[in-house]
Amino acid sequence: MADLTGGHADVRVDLRVVADLVEPGSRVLDVGCGDGELLALLERTRGVDARGLELGQDGVRDAVARGLSVIQGDADSDLAFYPDGAFDYAILSQTIQATRNPKRVLEDLLRIGRRAIVSFPNFGHVDVRLRLLFTGRMPVSSRLPYSWYDTPNIHFCTMRDFVALCEEVGATVERAIALDGNGKKLPFNAPWWVWNLIGAQGVFLLSKR
Amino acid sequence: MSATDAAETDAQERLRRGQADHPASPVMRFGPDRPLPLDSGAAIAPWQIAYQTYGRLNADRSNAILVCHALTGDQHVASDNPVTGKPGWWTMMIGPGRPIDTDRWFVICANVLGGCMGTTGPASTGPDGRIYGLDLPVLTIGDMVRAQAMLVDALGIGRLFAVVGGSMGGMQVLQWAAAYPDRVFAAVCMASGARHSSQNIAFHEVGRQAVMADPDWCGGRYLDAGTSPKKGLAVARMAAHITYMSGQSLHAKFGRNLQDRERLTFGFDADFQIESYLRHQGMTFVDRFDANSYLYVTRAMDYFDLAAARDGALSKVFQGSRTRFCIVSFTSDWLFPTSESRAVVHALNAAGASVSFVEIESDRGHDSFLLDIPEQFRIVRGFLTGAARAAGLAFAGRD
């Protein structure tokens, strides 16, 4: 059977959406890079100079063991040590909701990178709203698998909240993409309120105004 | 100690003393026309550097890895030590199929300048035919690395694929990357830092004072006097050994267990196992190490402060560096705590250098880098493999 994924069938769909936003040969910092899956994909398919920052020791160890330049550190405290404009892209994939100070982290991303790419689970998604509405309890699902008292995710936001934060820190939204529950791009354009309702994840390409 | 033990010790000590000028390993000799300039402003000539190699240098000389040893290590990194007869100090890391795979890499390890295993040091014979003793100028990590660079030159190697080391070896790794950025493609620095802290200097001073307080030290001329400051050096080693372990590992290994007895003796014998262990560490050390070397090499570590030459800005030291760095620290290391590694990592980030950094969970203290901790082997193997890919080095069928 023909491989329609370009040989990356094993890679998470949302990571491919992020990777598609990156120009080949650029310098990339992935903040909260986990075991380096996105970095490895970017090195393989886009020929980027890839660097990562990850809090968890297991992730760092796996990433370094696969030959990636990844350091163990905390987005909240360690981004300060990177100089202005050090990277073409500073990426924050599925991590902003776990930072203590999302606003400062976003400002740091826009300072360190010429552009920033941020993806996050959309708390405005209809599933979340319905669960809150009908059960009256914080939603726990396969995509948000933690109980409220035991979660690394301390700063959830909706897509509209995020757009408002971009406005506040002076970031221009160059592109915004909504993904469905399987991480696939929603194949149509719609007003914000629609995406905010049916997008499970948002992916934003930002630049400093 | 029985008479046989004493005789064996004497034999071992004679063997060790012989290594100073005529080591049981290859040695590169530099004549009076090729002096080694030192950071102190002095120079030494003639001088020599003893080394071991493992694996084979490839045709384009691109697969050389220099391994730098720690304070009391030597060039016998992956082969039996000629003095103690024990296996090399990093046999788990280096060898065929090991993380630093000698089927792939040409590994060089040299005895440091100031050492006592065949590289010029205070136990070596100087140009006037006398043993140097304290007449040898004080040395620095920079001097050690300069000596290694002259060896690497003499071996016909322009660029090292990697420089690797832990503790004082890690200092040399950073010094290599700072002094010869174009000659180091990758750098692995474990359990180390860019400077020696005041706490570490303090411990070293205790050790040096113990050596110098021993009447057998004879103002540093004990080799001429036919004595040896064994008690002082043993005490120095005992104090240092404590700093290499963690409180937790000491407790796990010894607790308050008594040594070969049922109850306390109410005296100053080694009642506790830990006392007897430290005494043993001290005793065995004096048979394989030279007391004056201990003074010189600890002093070199004390003087190390990479940022000092750049107004304290470590990032300036690495500005524009294209070396790929891998920094490793251990959670229970209180001699070179993670904060020291992190300072290096932050400086490298600020300089835009390529850097990997892992803090490895270990309760075994500073010496973790010498121990069987699979985590560190995976890291080193993975990092070197990734760097080899980046360098375009192909090893058929091995990845």
Side-chain angles (χ1 to χ4, degrees):
Chain A
M1 196 172 122
D3 182 359
L4 303 177
T5 64
H8 310 300
D10 52 327
V11 177
R12 263 168 44 201
V13 192
D14 62 311
L15 296 185
R16 271 189 268 151
V17 172
V18 172
D20 284 346
L21 293 171
V22 173
E23 283 169 30
S26 45
R27 286 168 56 81
V28 172
L29 175 69
D30 185 8
V31 179
C33 66
D35 66 3
E37 192 179 2
L38 175 62
L39 288 174
L41 175 70
L42 286 168
E43 275 197 348
R44 218 163 52 226
T45 64
R46 315 299 269 186
V48 304
D49 180 359
R51 313 284 171 82
L53 177 71
E54 166 61 31
L55 189 58
Q57 193 189 94
D58 290 351
V60 179
R61 183 197 53 206
D62 291 347
V64 174
R66 68 205 275 186
L68 297 164
S69 286
V70 170
I71 70 165
Q72 194 169 12
D74 187 339
D76 277 301
S77 52
D78 287 5
L79 291 179
F81 294 98
Y82 290 88
D84 297 358
F87 294 91
D88 296 311
Y89 297 89
I91 299 177
L92 192 64
S93 168
Q94 302 286 322
T95 301
I96 196 166
Q97 76 280 1
T99 63
R100 278 193 303 279
N101 192 338
K103 184 179 169 194
R104 203 183 55 222
V105 169
L106 187 59
E107 286 168 339
D108 269 333
L109 291 182
L110 290 160
R111 178 183 64 76
I112 295 165
R114 252 184 339 107
R115 287 179 171 149
I117 299 172
V118 182
S119 77
F120 56 89
N122 174 27
F123 220 65
H125 188 260
V126 61
D127 262 10
V128 176
R129 298 191 197 196
L130 290 175
R131 276 165 197 264
L132 259 175
L133 182 64
F134 286 112
T135 68
R137 301 190 60 184
M138 290 295 280
V140 178
S141 66
S142 55
R143 271 179 290 114
L144 302 172
Y146 304 98
S147 296
W148 64 273
Y149 51 82
D150 183 29
T151 174
N153 302 322
I154 52 178
H155 280 125
F156 276 122
C157 66
T158 70
M159 287 175 79
R160 293 183 86 163
D161 287 330
F162 185 74
V163 171
L165 180 63
C166 289
E167 185 66 31
E168 202 177 320
V169 301
T172 303
V173 177
E174 291 194 6
R175 281 191 70 184
I177 298 158
L179 309 182
D180 68 16
N182 297 318
K184 290 200 177 112
K185 277 189 207 187
L186 293 180
F188 52 86
N189 240 327
W192 275 120
W193 70 267
V194 176
W195 273 11
N196 199 24
L197 197 60
I198 63 174
Q201 274 185 59
V203 182
F204 287 77
L205 176 66
L206 309 172
S207 58
K208 187 84 180 153
R209 197 173 296 151
Chain B
M1 187 183 282
S2 73
T4 341
D5 281 352
E8 264 176 27
T9 299
D10 285 349
Q12 190 174 321
E13 193 175 325
R14 273 200 304 279
L15 189 58
R16 189 252 300 163
R17 288 189 185 183
Q19 296 288 312
D21 288 327
H22 304 287
S25 73
V27 59
M28 195 68 77
R29 293 192 165 86
F30 296 85
D33 55 324
R34 297 178 70 191
L36 177 66
L38 304 175
D39 286 342
S40 63
I44 43 173
W47 66 282
Q48 66 181 39
I49 182 165
Y51 63 99
Q52 281 285 18
T53 67
Y54 309 87
R56 292 172 63 174
L57 190 61
N58 62 12
D60 59 1
R61 297 165 185 260
S62 60
N63 69 331
I65 293 182
L66 178 71
V67 173
C68 302
H69 69 74
L71 174 55
T72 67
D74 52 44
Q75 68 271 37
H76 306 286
V77 58
S79 46
D80 289 355
N81 188 296
V83 175
T84 63
K86 290 182 178 159
W89 53 272
W90 229 7
T91 49
M92 278 181 287
M93 186 67 90
I94 297 165
R98 301 279 179 185
I100 301 178
D101 189 345
T102 49
D103 288 340
R104 173 181 287 202
W105 305 111
F106 177 63
V107 175
I108 309 161
C109 183
N111 185 216
V112 293
L113 194 67
C116 54
M117 290 293 281
T119 300
T120 299
S124 308
T125 307
D128 60 357
R130 293 182 76 208
I131 290 169
Y132 268 115
L134 296 196
D135 293 337
L136 188 74
V138 164
L139 306 167
T140 66
I141 299 291
D143 297 333
M144 292 175 179
V145 165
R146 197 173 301 115
Q148 289 163 353
M150 286 177 75
L151 168 66
V152 170
D153 278 339
L155 294 173
I157 296 164
R159 187 182 73 166
L160 292 163
F161 170 73
V163 184
V164 181
S167 194
M168 186 181 85
M171 290 177 165
Q172 294 162 56
V173 169
L174 296 178
Q175 175 69 32
W176 257 101
Y180 307 100
D182 299 332
R183 299 188 68 178
V184 183
F185 183 77
V188 181
C189 170
M190 311 178 74
S192 191
R195 57 174 193 165
H196 211 223
S197 71
S198 56
Q199 177 176 295
N200 293 353
I201 295 170
F203 279 116
H204 276 174
E205 178 60 1
V206 170
R208 282 190 297 264
Q209 289 300 327
V211 169
M212 293 190 281
D214 188 325
D216 283 340
W217 182 59
C218 304
R221 298 236 64 100
Y222 51 88
L223 290 174
D224 299 333
T227 60
S228 176
K230 289 186 173 185
K231 290 195 171 109
L233 185 59
V235 170
R237 177 62 172 184
M238 288 167 75
H241 200 82
I242 299 167
T243 69
Y244 301 153
M245 301 174 72
S246 68
Q248 202 181 343
S249 63
L250 281 174
H251 179 74
K253 203 165 171 182
F254 306 106
R256 292 181 53 84
N257 298 342
L258 301 184
Q259 178 72 34
D260 301 332
R261 64 200 64 189
E262 296 296 314
R263 56 186 68 83
L264 300 176
T265 62
F266 294 96
F268 295 102
D269 281 348
D271 275 2
F272 296 101
Q273 280 180 8
I274 177 61
E275 294 173 315
S276 142
Y277 170 78
L278 283 181
R279 288 180 190 191
H280 173 75
Q281 289 296 331
M283 294 285 289
T284 53
F285 181 61
V286 298
D287 296 331
R288 70 172 182 87
F289 211 80
D290 175 70
N292 283 339
S293 266
Y294 196 81
L295 304 184
Y296 276 85
V297 179
T298 55
R299 203 66 185 138
M301 287 181 81
D302 292 351
Y303 279 4
F304 188 61
D305 182 1
L306 256 191
R310 299 294 185 95
D311 309 321
L314 193 54
S315 61
K316 285 189 196 162
V317 175
F318 298 113
Q319 206 67 54
S321 175
R322 280 171 298 157
T323 301
R324 298 167 69 92
F325 291 85
C326 180
I327 313 288
V328 176
S329 72
F330 298 89
T331 48
S332 56
D333 183 352
W334 56 282
L335 202 57
F336 288 92
T338 293
S339 55
E340 299 285 332
S341 285
R342 215 178 269 284
V344 175
V345 171
H346 287 155
L348 290 167
N349 277 338
S354 167
V355 52
S356 296
F357 163 60
V358 193
E359 181 186 32
I360 294 174
E361 203 82 57
S362 162
D363 64 0
R364 301 174 76 179
H366 178 65
D367 266 357
S368 292
F369 76 96
L370 296 169
L371 302 175
D372 186 7
I373 295 174
E375 194 95 2
Q376 64 177 328
F377 301 137
R378 270 190 67 198
I379 296 285
V380 171
R381 186 193 295 274
F383 173 76
L384 291 178
T385 305
R389 215 161 42 226
L393 282 170
F395 298 99
R398 298 299 298 248
D399 276 325

